[in-house]
Amino acid sequence: MLAKMGKEKNIQVIDINSMLWDEINKHDKHGGIVTVPDGVHLNEKGNDILSKKIVSDFLKTHKP
């Protein structure tokens, strides 16, 4: 739904939710690699993955 709305309004949508859940499901059943022990909030590595994804996707359409 958000991707469709982004296309309609010509707004870039970065799907960080799917990417983060893929990482969590691969590595983080109960926290530790990407999340803190609650399994939801990001730790330093999770924040690093998130920021790199946002910058990478942003730069695909916005060249400096």
Side-chain angles (χ1 to χ4, degrees):
M1 177 157 172
L2 287 178
K4 181 181 174 187
M5 189 182 307
K7 282 184 181 183
E8 290 172 359
K9 302 210 179 271
N10 197 29
I11 299 170
Q12 182 179 9
V13 175
I14 300 173
D15 184 7
I16 57 174
N17 188 52
S18 295
M19 183 269 310
L20 284 172
W21 277 111
D22 287 346
E23 288 296 319
I24 289 168
N25 289 329
K26 277 193 272 184
H27 304 292
D28 249 26
K29 298 298 182 201
H30 299 289
I33 305 289
V34 179
T35 63
V36 296
D38 67 7
V40 176
H41 295 94
L42 299 176
N43 63 17
E44 186 175 345
K45 182 172 176 74
N47 283 318
D48 186 53
I49 292 168
L50 174 67
S51 64
K52 286 179 180 173
K53 171 70 173 167
I54 291 170
V55 169
S56 170
D57 282 17
F58 180 81
L59 289 176
K60 286 177 186 175
T61 57
H62 297 82
K63 300 293 180 198

